[in-house]
Amino acid sequence: QVQLVESGGGLVQPGGSLRLSCAATGIIFRRYAMGWYRQAPGKQRELVAAITSGGSTNYADFVKGRFTISRDNAKNTVYLQMNWLKPEDTAVYYCNADLGSRQYWGQGTQVTVSS
């Protein structure tokens, strides 16, 4: 059974930082591209950052310079370091594992940026 379990969300003030983690089980983690998506109320889910099986990364323009995605294949975990958070970053953040022919989603973790 495939599971992606996110953690690390919460309430943070503008300008603060959070680190999200996504632990994967039931897949050969190193083969999958991993991504973080987010969905704010009333909006579509959007890509935040992604990392390939080889470690190449790409970011949405709205997080470049603030967020960093990384992976630890030994721990079957992908991370999203979020710095300089803004109120508009408030959303549910989802982890995604993508092998092309199949993909899986986590249950999401809430990130709220507010003073």
Side-chain angles (χ1 to χ4, degrees), residues 11-17 84-86 112-115:
L11 174 64
V12 63
Q13 292 187 339
S17 298
W84 299 106
L85 283 159
K86 305 175 181 180
T112 302
V113 185
S114 175
S115 55

Side-chain angles (χ1 to χ4, degrees), residues 1-64:
Q1 181 180 1
V2 177
Q3 280 193 310
L4 302 178
V5 180
E6 299 102 333
S7 60
L11 174 64
V12 63
Q13 292 187 339
S17 298
L18 283 174
R19 189 194 195 203
L20 304 183
S21 300
C22 170
T25 57
I27 61 171
I28 303 175
F29 181 80
R30 66 181 183 278
R31 294 183 180 177
Y32 281 72
M34 300 297 297
W36 287 98
Y37 291 71
R38 71 185 188 187
Q39 187 166 18
K43 294 188 177 182
Q44 289 189 332
R45 191 173 296 188
E46 59 186 357
L47 175 68
V48 175
I51 185 166
T52 67
S53 58
S56 297
T57 59
N58 69 283
Y59 297 91
D61 286 344
F62 52 78
V63 301
K64 283 182 180 178

Side-chain angles (χ1 to χ4, degrees), residues 76-91:
N76 288 359
T77 301
V78 62
Y79 304 96
L80 186 68
Q81 178 67 45
M82 304 186 295
N83 299 325
W84 299 106
L85 283 159
K86 305 175 181 180
E88 51 263 44
D89 294 319
T90 295

